[in-house]
């Protein structure tokens, strides 16, 4: 039984055809992810007959992100589903994004992975640094909130800002700190993806459940340029590889997404399945994940927390 779990959320990453013309996963240099997957990549051609990749170090499952709802999957409803196990798109009536629609926010706050862990007496952490201006947090950042931030807020874990980032006790959403340095005028130090990963591993070692969210993969997918998408994936590769190496021995690491996008740079979101990559203790718990609705429940079960009432019971 692991003592702890980490969910790394990557916005807008799907599993598509491995075509050199439009899929940056086959253009980028991704040695760390390939090593985790036994030489394979998160592309359709590398999935086995059960739509998985099972290697010595990892399990990768292709999870449905369409949720039985017409249209292109979106971030607000997809993140809600990933974090709660409830079908956010079905409950809202359609896919919606990029922020979490107002009617879904109470359910997200009450039923997300961090909240469920806290309700079971476990500790929860949100590793992201946010530009907070004193306490309580600046209300402007809540106007169009992303799912991970709302989940963090629901357990009082939205506590890291520039000071924590400067001290190596938080990770920037972009993994490295350039955006804080260039756009927020902050004098936080430069960090490599590997250093950011070790910071996340340290944060995770002090909590039972830790969440980190990264959004650049979706941004670069929307920009639709291969070079930007390749750079974003190579940064993620360095980060994920170092995180897997620095993982506490009792930890389960799960990396997943809300919908496809960056795996096809021809433009915008896709209906592709999303990867659910599990590394570490009890990763086999994620083996039977079939959709975004199954991830939170599988993680809670891996932690020994009764997650019943989630996922399969919600009729979605
Ligand atoms: Zn998007």
């Amino acid at each position: 039984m692991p003592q702890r779990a980490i969910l790394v959320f990557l916005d807008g990453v799907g599993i598509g055809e491995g075509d050199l013309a439009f899929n940056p996963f086959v253009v980028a240099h991704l040695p760390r992810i390939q090593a985790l997957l036994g030489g394979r990549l998160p592309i359709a051609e590398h999935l086995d007959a059960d739509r998985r990749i099972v290697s010595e170090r990892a399990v990768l499952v292709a999870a449905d992100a369409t949720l039985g709802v017409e249209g292109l999957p979106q971030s607000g409803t997809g993140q809600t589903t990933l974090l709660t196990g409830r079908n956010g798109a079905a409950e809202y009536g359609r896919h919606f994004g990029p922020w979490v629609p107002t009617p879904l926010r109470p359910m997200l706050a009450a039923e997300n992975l961090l909240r469920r862990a806290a309700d079971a007496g476990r500790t929860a952490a949100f590793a992201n640094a946010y530009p907070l201006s004193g306490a309580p947090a600046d209300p402007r950042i809540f106007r169009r909130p992303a799912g991970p931030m709302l989940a963090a807020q629901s357990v009082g874990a939205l506590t890291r800002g520039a000071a924590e980032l400067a001290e190596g006790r938080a990770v920037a959403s972009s993994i490295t700190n350039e955006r804080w340095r260039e756009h927020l005028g902050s004098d936080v130090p430069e960090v490599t993806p590997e250093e950011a990963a070790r910071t996340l591993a340290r944060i995770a070692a002090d909590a039972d459940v830790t969440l980190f969210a990264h959004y650049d993969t979706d941004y670069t997918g929307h920009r639709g340029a291969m070079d930007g998408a390749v750079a974003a994936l190579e940064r993620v590769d360095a980060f994920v590889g170092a995180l897997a190496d620095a993982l506490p021995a009792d930890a389960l690491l799960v990396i997943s997404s809300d919908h496809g996008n960056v795996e096809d740079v021809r433009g915008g979101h896709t209906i592709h399945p999303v990867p659910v990559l599990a590394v570490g203790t009890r990763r086999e718990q994620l083996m039977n994940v079939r959709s975004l609705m199954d991830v939170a429940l599988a993680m809670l079960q891996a932690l020994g927390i009764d997650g019943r009432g989630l996922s399969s019971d919600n009729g979605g």
Side-chain angles (χ1 to χ4, degrees), residues 75 218 222 259 261 269:
S75 286
D218 190 58
H222 283 296
H259 55 74
N261 182 349
H269 295 188

Side-chain angles (χ1 to χ4, degrees), residues 29-312:
H29 182 55
L30 306 173
R32 309 302 302 273
I33 289 172
Q34 268 193 298
L36 282 174
L37 295 176
R40 285 158 285 182
L41 285 167
I43 58 174
E45 294 86 341
H46 287 186
L47 301 175
D48 65 20
D50 296 317
R51 299 172 62 71
R52 299 192 276 237
I53 296 172
V54 181
S55 71
E56 249 173 63
R57 286 188 72 194
V59 169
L60 182 141
V61 179
D64 170 70
T66 66
L67 303 169
V69 174
E70 256 182 66
L72 287 173
Q74 301 294 337
S75 286
T77 43
Q79 292 167 13
T80 299
T81 306
L82 177 72
L83 290 165
T84 64
R86 290 176 56 138
N87 189 332
E91 293 195 18
Y92 186 61
R94 62 188 173 95
H95 296 289
F96 181 88
W99 60 89
V100 176
T102 308
L104 290 182
R105 292 178 198 174
M107 185 275 282
L108 173 58
E111 300 196 29
N112 72 80
L113 180 67
L114 299 183
R115 182 74 256 166
R116 289 277 183 157
D119 287 347
R122 311 288 285 268
T123 57
F126 184 54
N128 289 63
Y130 263 80
L132 310 172
S133 59
D138 187 333
R140 285 172 300 182
I141 68 175
F142 295 111
R143 207 169 286 154
R144 292 179 169 184
M149 195 189 71
L150 289 173
Q153 188 195 20
S154 78
V155 293
L158 192 68
T159 54
R160 292 174 160 86
E164 288 75 14
L165 195 60
E167 292 161 6
R169 295 191 291 116
V171 181
S173 299
S174 299
I175 297 176
T176 51
N177 292 350
E178 295 104 44
R179 192 159 299 148
W180 282 74
R181 293 167 58 83
E182 289 164 16
H183 300 297
L184 296 172
S186 175
D187 60 356
V188 297
E190 290 180 49
V191 295
T192 64
E194 289 84 358
E195 287 166 337
R198 289 191 285 272
T199 297
L200 178 54
R202 278 199 306 276
I203 293 166
D206 279 339
D208 295 317
V209 184
T210 301
L211 175 64
F212 172 70
H214 177 65
Y215 302 96
D216 294 19
T217 34
D218 190 58
Y219 300 152
T220 57
H222 283 296
R223 279 187 213 116
M226 180 61 84
D227 56 349
V230 164
L233 292 185
E234 290 181 347
R235 174 180 295 191
V236 166
D237 183 73
F239 179 70
V240 167
L243 181 59
D245 288 347
L247 207 58
D250 58 357
L252 167 69
L253 167 63
V254 176
I255 301 170
S256 194
S257 187
D258 48 359
H259 55 74
N261 182 349
V262 71
E263 77 284 359
D264 185 337
V265 297
R266 291 175 296 183
H269 295 188
T270 70
I271 58 167
H272 291 145
V274 298
V276 178
L277 174 63
V279 179
T281 314
R282 297 205 77 188
R283 60 184 176 275
E284 67 282 355
Q285 203 82 41
L286 280 294
M287 196 88 107
N288 294 317
V289 164
R290 287 293 173 269
S291 94
L292 282 187
M293 286 184 279
D294 304 325
V295 178
L297 180 62
M299 290 186 71
L300 289 168
Q301 286 174 340
L303 284 159
I305 296 170
D306 181 3
R308 279 176 299 184
L310 288 179
S311 190
S312 54

